[in-house]
C-alpha cells in the first residue's frame, strides 16, 4: 500500500462511483468526515526502506505513464451522479498507523449491504479501492498468472517480476464477503470498464460474462489478485459548521446515513507481501476517474480534505478525511467583490497540477526552498515536470524525498546551521546529531533553522521543525529528508504534511493548506 509495509497495495486503488445519497433528508448543512487513525512507533530504518520501495513504484509508474500516447488514454464512462447541495459533505475518522509499525494513515470504511466495516490505508497514490475478500472462485474466472499492475515495470522498460507465491486472507481476519452483500455486482471482463479503464486488469477473458480479474504487482515483490465489482458504501452525513468533534459525536449517534452506490471495488482473494498485514485494504484517494476520491469529490462539491495528526501522537488521536466543504476552511464572510469568498486567516493556496504523467498523484509547482529566509540555489529543472522532475504530495510516503540535486543543497544548508552539534551515525539518515547536554542530560537549547517550501501563487509551506529535524532516538535528532533519484520526482511525505489541513479542490484545480493541530 502506499509506502511502508502497506505500501504498494494502496497503489491499486479502484474507484468509487459517488451516486445517489439515500436518505438525504432535511438539514442541508451536512458533511462527510472520515476519521484518521494513529498507533505504535515504527523504526526509521523500516520507514525509509518502505519509502524506497514506494519511490521505486512511483518511478516505474511515471515511466509507464510517459510511454502511453495521449490519445490512447481511456476514460471511465460512469453515469454522473446527482451532486449534493453545495453545503453538504461527509467525514471519516482518520488516524496514524504507527502502532502497527507502518508510516501510513488509516481510515474506517463501510461497504456492502448490509454494511461491513473495514480499516483501510488512505492513499493519495492509489486509484483502486480494494478490500481483502473471501469467496469461492468461479469456474469461468481467469487464472492469476502473468499480469502486472502500476507497480510493475512498463512494457519495454525492464523485465517483468517473477510470479509471486500466493496466500489467502486468514479466516479470522476482517474480510469482505461479496455473496453476503445484496448490492455487490461483478464487472464483466468484456466491459469497457475492465478493458479500457482498469490498466491493472488481466487480458484473459474466458467468456464475456466472466468477472474482470486483476493481478497487481509491486516493486518489492508483493502482489494482490482478485476480481473487480461495484457495491455501495455507507457514509454518515454531519453538519459542516460544527467542527470535527461535533461531527464525531453526530456520527456516533448515527443521525443521517447515505449510500454511495456504484463504488468500484477490488475483491482481493489472494495476496502476498508484508504490505497487506496491518490493514484490510486500500482507500483510493488518487486522481483518477475510478478512484474513491474523484467520485466522492464529484458528488460533494469537487473537493476533499484531510488533516494528519502528528505521526507519533497517542493511539487514540484522530482527525478526519472530509469530502465536501470543510468548516475550518469555510470563510465567515464574503467580500463585496462579486461574492468572492473572504480569505481564511492562515490559509495558503497554490495551483493543483493534475498532469497525466504523474497520475494518480497530485502535483504542485515548487519555485524554491529557503533555509532561515535564504533562498537556496537549486536547479529549476528539478521542479519541472517537462524536464523529468516535479513535486507530488503523497500520503503513502513517510519521509520527504528530494531529487538528488535539491537534496544535496538542502541538507548542506541545514547541516551548516547545525555544525556546532556533535555528529552521530544512525541509519538510514545521513545527518544526525547528539542533542543532549553532557552536563545536564537535557536537550540542548539549539535553535532549528527555519525551512520553507515556496510554491506557485506566493504560497509558502513552513512546517514545524519536528517535521524535518526529527527525533530519531533519545537525545538524537536527524535531518529527516531522503535523497531521491535524478531525473525523478520529489515527494512531500506525510511527516512533512503533518499538523496541516490540506484541501484538494479537484474541480477548481487548487490546493489549500493551513497549520492545524488536527484535533478539536
Amino acid at each position: 500500500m502506499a509506502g511502508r509495509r502497506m505500501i504498494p497495495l494502496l497503489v491499486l486503488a479502484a474507484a468509487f462511483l459517488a451516486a445517489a445519497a439515500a436518505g438525504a433528508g432535511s438539514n442541508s448543512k451536512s458533511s462527510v468526515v472520515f476519521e484518521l487513525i494513529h498507533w505504535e512507533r515504527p523504526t526509521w530504518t523500516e520507514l525509509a526502506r518502505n519509502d524506497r520501495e514506494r519511490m521505486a513504484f512511483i518511478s516505474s509508474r511515471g515511466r509507464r505513464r510517459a510511454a502511453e500516447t495521449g490519445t490512447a488514454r481511456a476514460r471511465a464512462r460512469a453515469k454522473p451522479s446527482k451532486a449534493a447541495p453545495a453545503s453538504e459533505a461527509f467525514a471519516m475518522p482518520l488516524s496514524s498507523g504507527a502502532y502497527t509499525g507502518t508510516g501510513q494513515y488509516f481510515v474506517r470504511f463501510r461497504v456492502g449491504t448490509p454494511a461491513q466495516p473495514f480499516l483501510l490505508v488512505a492513499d493519495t497514490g492509489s486509484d483502486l479501492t480494494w478490500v481483502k475478500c473471501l469467496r469461492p472462485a468461479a469456474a469461468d474466472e481467469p487464472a492469476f498468472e502473468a499480469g502486472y499492475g502500476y507497480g510493475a515495470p512498463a512494457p519495454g522498460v525492464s523485465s517483468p517480476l517473477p510470479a509471486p507465491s500466493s496466500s489467502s486472507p486468514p479466516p479470522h481476519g476482517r474480510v469482505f464477503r461479496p455473496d453476503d452483500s445484496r448490492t455487490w455486482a461483478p464487472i464483466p471482463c468484456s466491459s469497457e470498464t475492465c478493458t479500457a479503464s482498469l490498466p491493472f486488469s488481466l487480458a484473459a477473458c474466458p467468456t464475456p460474462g466472466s468477472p474482470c480479474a486483476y493481478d497487481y504487482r509491486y516493486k518489492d515483490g508483493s502482489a494482490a489478485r482478485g476480481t473487480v465489482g461495484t457495491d455501495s458504501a455507507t457514509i454518515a452525513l454531519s453538519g459542516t459548521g460544527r467542527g470535527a468533534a461535533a461531527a464525531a459525536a453526530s456520527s456516533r449517534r448515527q443521525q443521517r446515513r447515505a449510500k454511495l452506490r456504484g463504488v468500484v471495488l477490488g475483491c482481493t482473494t489472494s495476496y502476498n507481501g508484508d504490505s497487506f498485514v496491518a490493514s484490510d485494504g486500500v482507500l483510493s484517494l488518487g486522481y483518477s476517474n475510478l478512484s474513491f476520491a474523484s467520485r466522492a469529490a464529484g458528488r460533494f462539491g469537487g473537493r476533499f480534505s484531510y488533516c494528519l495528526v502528528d505521526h507519533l501522537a497517542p493511539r487514540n488521536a484522530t482527525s478526519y478525511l472530509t469530502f465536501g466543504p470543510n468548516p475550518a476552511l469555510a470563510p465567515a464572510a464574503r467580500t463585496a467583490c462579486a461574492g468572492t469568498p473572504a480569505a481564511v486567516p492562515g490559509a495558503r493556496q497554490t495551483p493543483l497540477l493534475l498532469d497525466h504523467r504523474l497520475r494518480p498523484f497530485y502535483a504542485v509547482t515548487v519555485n524554491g526552498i529557503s533555509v532561515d529566509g535564504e533562498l537556496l540555489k537549486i536547479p529549476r529543472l528539478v521542479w519541472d515536470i517537462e524536464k523529468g522532475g516535479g513535486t507530488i504530495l503523497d500520503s503513502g510516503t513517510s519521509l520527504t524525498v528530494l531529487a538528488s540535486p535539491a537534496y544535496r543543497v538542502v541538507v548542506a544548508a541545514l547541516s551548516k546551521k547545525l555544525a556546532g552539534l556533535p555528529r552521530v551515525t544512525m541509519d538510514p539518515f545521513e545527518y544526525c546529531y547528539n542533542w543532549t547536554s553532557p552536563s545536564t542530560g537535557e536537550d540542548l537549547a539549539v535553535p532549528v533553522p527555519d525551512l520553507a517550501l515556496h510554491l506557485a501563487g506566493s504560497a509558502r509551506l513552513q512546517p514545524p521543525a519536528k517535521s524535518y529535524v526529527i527525533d530519531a532516538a533519545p537525545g538524537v535528532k536527524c535531518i529527516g529528508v531522503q535523497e531521491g533519484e535524478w531525473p525523478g520526482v520529489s515527494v512531500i511525505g506525510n511527516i512533512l504534511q503533518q499538523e496541516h489541513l490540506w484541501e484538494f479542490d479537484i474541480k477548481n484545480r487548487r490546493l489549500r493548506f493551513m497549520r492545524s493541530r488536527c484535533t478539536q
Side-chain angles (χ1 to χ4, degrees), residues 177-496:
R177 292 173 169 79
D179 292 342
D180 293 341
S181 173
R182 297 191 300 273
T183 45
W184 168 259
I187 293 176
C189 60
S190 58
S191 67
E192 185 178 4
T193 299
C194 183
T195 59
S197 301
L198 298 175
F200 41 81
S201 62
L202 293 175
C205 189
T207 69
S210 298
C212 180
Y214 60 87
D215 186 351
Y216 211 96
R217 304 292 180 90
Y218 301 93
K219 278 287 189 177
D220 66 347
S222 59
R225 289 153 297 226
T227 56
V228 183
T230 62
D231 211 326
S232 295
T234 299
I235 59 173
L237 299 174
S238 54
T240 58
R242 293 172 298 185
S250 63
S251 178
R252 285 192 293 270
R253 290 194 301 269
Q254 299 183 352
Q255 52 151 149
R256 289 206 318 159
R257 292 199 177 275
K259 286 278 190 182
L260 292 168
R261 298 181 177 87
V263 175
V264 177
L265 184 70
C267 171
T268 294
T269 52
S270 179
Y271 62 88
N272 68 348
D274 295 333
S275 296
F276 314 133
V277 172
S279 75
D280 303 322
V282 174
L283 183 70
S284 57
L285 300 181
Y287 178 61
S288 161
N289 289 337
L290 293 179
S291 77
F292 181 91
S294 293
R295 300 299 184 178
R299 170 75 172 78
F300 290 91
R303 52 188 159 162
F304 73 93
S305 58
Y306 61 69
C307 200
L308 305 182
V309 297
D310 185 317
H311 70 292
L312 297 178
R315 177 170 175 171
N316 61 351
T318 57
S319 54
Y320 290 88
L321 166 64
T322 303
F323 290 90
N326 191 306
L329 286 169
R334 291 182 174 271
T335 65
C337 180
T340 303
V344 177
R348 311 292 184 191
Q349 179 173 302
T350 191
L352 188 62
L353 305 182
L354 305 177
D355 192 284
H356 74 272
R357 287 162 293 190
L358 296 177
R359 291 181 73 173
F361 295 98
Y362 301 96
V364 292
T365 297
V366 175
N367 290 332
I369 297 179
S370 64
V371 171
D372 278 348
E374 180 180 351
L375 196 62
L376 306 180
K377 294 180 179 179
I378 298 172
R380 294 189 63 84
L381 55 79
V382 169
W383 315 122
D384 192 340
I385 296 175
E386 301 290 339
K387 302 290 179 27
T391 308
I392 63 174
L393 283 88
D394 184 20
S395 66
T397 299
S398 298
L399 297 166
T400 289
V401 180
L402 297 178
S404 187
Y407 171 82
R408 285 292 156 198
V409 175
V410 170
V411 296
L414 291 173
S415 61
K416 183 178 179 180
K417 300 285 185 178
L418 301 174
L421 292 165
R423 289 273 299 273
V424 296
T425 301
M426 176 175 289
D427 287 336
F429 304 105
E430 186 175 4
Y431 291 90
C432 293
Y433 305 89
N434 185 345
W435 220 274
T436 305
S437 168
S439 57
T440 66
E442 302 292 331
D443 280 356
L444 295 169
V446 176
V448 174
D450 292 328
L451 177 75
L453 277 69
H454 301 260
L455 309 177
S458 301
R460 282 186 301 170
L461 171 60
Q462 297 173 283
K466 66 179 180 180
S467 294
Y468 56 93
V469 177
I470 60 178
D471 292 313
V476 176
K477 294 182 185 290
C478 299
I479 297 177
V481 180
Q482 296 286 286
E483 182 174 10
E485 294 181 356
W486 177 251
V489 298
S490 296
V491 180
I492 299 175
N494 59 43
I495 292 178
L496 205 68

Side-chain angles (χ1 to χ4, degrees), residues 64-195:
R64 182 184 174 96
R65 288 293 187 189
E68 293 177 345
T69 60
T71 57
R73 289 188 296 277
R75 294 290 180 264
R77 304 257 192 320
K79 268 188 191 174
S81 57
K82 181 180 177 183
S87 61
E88 222 174 43
F90 73 92
M92 309 165 91
L94 179 71
S95 58
S96 166
Y99 76 102
T100 67
T102 76
Q104 297 169 331
Y105 286 78
F106 295 158
V107 65
R108 299 186 185 109
F109 186 72
R110 296 170 64 85
V111 68
T113 307
Q116 302 174 39
F118 299 98
L119 190 66
L120 307 184
V121 177
D123 187 8
T124 56
S126 292
D127 45 12
L128 171 65
T129 295
W130 63 267
V131 292
K132 295 174 183 177
C133 197
L134 190 62
R135 71 171 185 79
D140 59 350
E141 192 168 306
F144 296 116
E145 293 178 357
Y148 63 83
Y150 283 133
V157 172
S158 61
S159 59
L161 292 167
S165 58
S166 64
S167 60
S168 297
H172 59 276
R174 272 183 308 226
V175 293
F176 179 60
R177 292 173 169 79
D179 292 342
D180 293 341
S181 173
R182 297 191 300 273
T183 45
W184 168 259
I187 293 176
C189 60
S190 58
S191 67
E192 185 178 4
T193 299
C194 183
T195 59

